[in-house]
Amino acid sequence: MRVFDRAVVRVLPAVPRSIVRRVAGRYIAGSTLDDARRVVSELNAGGIRATVDVLGEEISRPDEAQAIARAYHEALAAIETDGLDANVSIKLTGFGLKVDAALCRRLVRELVSDAAAKGIFVRIDMEDSSTTDDTLDLYRALRDEGHEGVGIVLQAALKRTQGDIDALAPLRPSVRICKGIYLEPASIAFQGFDEVRRNFVVCLDALLEAGCRVGIATHDEWLIEQALERVSGLDESRYEMQMLLGVRAARGRELVAAGHPLRVYVPYGEQWYEYSLRRLQENPKVAGYVASDLLRRIVPRRSA
Ligand SMILES: Cc1cc2nc3c(=O)[nH]c(=O)nc-3n(C[C@H](O)[C@H](O)[C@H](O)COP(=O)(O)OP(=O)(O)OC[C@H]3O[C@@H](n4cnc5c(N)ncnc54)[C@H](O)[C@@H]3O)c2cc1C
């Protein structure tokens, strides 16, 4: 990232919410479930699957976790009613992991049971490294209880991930592999761009070798090419490409046209601000977007 871009990223939290919303609008379906239904059905019409995410990881009270869980039950009902090709992605902190771990486990179990009754898959997103063990433990417990329609996410940035793949392999888990978005210390995480890329490929190979179903979540062209070489000839049930709403959509459509399954991550909800900041902070063009939006506000448009 250039020096100017980095400077803009640092001041982003000071940028007015209205501007963040306008610039980041493409990364979120909107504030309501109806917004998500509309976006998912548009994606489906283009042959693209979706995973629906109710934004809300910043919670501090049990009733907020219950509200998020309720919103997910409503999302499941909408997916079933509308016949959408979609599953859901959840974050354990949104379900109260840091507030009341027992409540979190109960709410997740209820959701997974509801989803199973509707034939809908639940993906548990991976958050920062303080949650990795709890997330993998809950995943194992759900599988031990016979829940098959649930999967996890592993992060190539973490040094432990290869070991986690080996340990989980007997379960033949459904795994989304991604770089990992959280800043982690050098003691536990690869810091270099190329190191993370290399580990992504090593992990992808290990997952395919173990017979896992893999969601390959990246917009990095080099990694997409590496992945396509590896999945060539594989049955559709073994893999899918995954991307975030609003990021490299044209490349996504190319993948679909070439016959690859693609799932797009569709976040929606009132708590769009933190998610939007994260997306903007990793967007190399963020400086230009924010600056031009600010300029449009400062310099009034001339009438024609
Ligand atoms: C479906 C999906 C689910 C994910 N789930 C998780 C999760 O559970 N836990 C977790 O830690 N992380 C998750 N991530 C985020 C992931 O870990 C990375 O932080 C993120 O995908 C960026 O890495 P990248 O592989 O796309 O490569 P990058 O090198 O970051 O990006 C490659 C290229 O993609 C484009 N690009 C990337 N981001 C943007 C953007 N915001 N706006 C515009 N263009 C952009 C740019 O052209 C960039 O050069 C998920 C990502 C995806 C796609």
Side-chain angles (χ1 to χ4, degrees):
M1 229 186 268
R2 288 172 305 146
V3 176
F4 177 60
D5 296 3
R6 277 201 300 271
V8 173
V9 162
R10 266 201 305 278
V11 302
L12 260 185
V15 172
R17 277 180 170 244
S18 56
I19 292 184
V20 171
R21 171 140 213 171
R22 180 138 29 110
V23 179
R26 65 193 186 120
Y27 300 126
I28 43 174
S31 319
T32 68
L33 177 56
D34 279 346
D35 292 325
R37 291 169 108 139
R38 179 181 36 81
V39 169
V40 171
S41 76
E42 283 165 13
L43 288 166
N44 286 176
I48 298 171
R49 311 163 176 176
T51 187
V52 173
D53 168 41
V54 180
L55 294 171
E57 64 251 55
E58 307 291 325
I59 67 142
S60 54
R61 296 191 320 265
D63 61 300
E64 291 174 313
Q66 280 156 339
I68 294 277
R70 262 197 311 280
Y72 270 105
H73 286 284
E74 286 162 16
L76 291 177
I79 290 170
E80 187 183 43
T81 308
D82 295 2
L84 299 174
D85 187 352
N87 61 36
V88 293
S89 286
I90 65 172
K91 287 192 174 53
L92 293 190
T93 57
F95 277 65
L97 180 67
K98 302 274 185 181
V99 178
D100 179 344
L103 172 71
C104 169
R105 287 192 293 270
R106 179 169 67 74
L107 293 175
V108 171
R109 280 199 172 86
E110 288 170 1
L111 189 82
V112 168
S113 300
D114 183 13
K118 295 179 165 65
I120 300 171
F121 182 86
V122 176
R123 172 85 55 197
I124 307 175
D125 284 350
M126 189 58 83
E127 300 177 69
D128 70 52
S129 58
S130 71
T131 67
T132 313
D133 283 330
D134 287 334
T135 305
L136 297 183
D137 288 351
L138 180 55
Y139 172 72
R140 278 179 178 283
L142 291 166
R143 289 294 306 276
D144 286 349
E145 291 159 22
H147 290 293
E148 296 289 326
V150 60
I152 38 157
V153 179
L154 294 173
Q155 298 156 325
L158 292 191
K159 294 178 180 171
R160 60 178 284 170
T161 294
Q162 288 184 41
D164 288 332
I165 293 171
D166 292 343
L168 289 162
L171 291 175
R172 290 269 198 99
S174 166
V175 176
R176 173 195 299 150
I177 181 79
C178 64
K179 286 184 178 174
I181 197 171
Y182 301 90
L183 283 181
E184 304 284 1
S187 53
I188 60 163
F190 300 110
Q191 305 293 312
F193 188 76
D194 289 334
E195 280 178 305
V196 175
R197 265 183 168 175
R198 256 197 308 277
N199 199 42
F200 192 115
V201 173
V202 170
C203 292
L204 176 57
D205 283 339
L207 289 165
L208 292 172
E209 175 80 7
C212 301
R213 184 165 194 282
V214 193
I216 304 165
T218 183
H219 319 94
D220 180 334
E221 189 55 35
W222 185 82
L223 279 179
I224 292 174
E225 295 300 332
Q226 294 293 314
L228 294 185
E229 275 175 29
R230 284 161 171 81
V231 299
S232 139
L234 268 192
D235 189 79
E236 264 215 17
S237 62
R238 292 289 315 284
Y239 79 99
E240 64 185 15
M241 307 304 289
Q242 296 190 351
M243 290 184 168
L244 300 171
L245 186 67
V247 181
R248 300 208 67 196
R251 184 63 175 118
R253 287 192 294 274
E254 271 174 30
L255 289 170
V256 172
H260 297 286
L262 171 71
R263 188 176 302 276
V264 165
Y265 193 96
V266 177
Y268 80 93
E270 294 297 337
Q271 296 197 24
W272 51 269
Y273 180 73
E274 289 75 13
Y275 181 85
S276 303
L277 272 194
R278 279 211 302 276
R279 293 282 86 83
L280 288 178
Q281 281 166 345
E282 66 179 9
N283 181 350
K285 297 197 189 106
V286 69
Y289 291 150
V290 173
S292 63
D293 208 274
L294 272 172
L295 265 181
R296 269 201 298 276
R297 291 195 139 204
I298 295 163
V299 184
R301 229 179 272 159
R302 286 189 199 160
S303 50

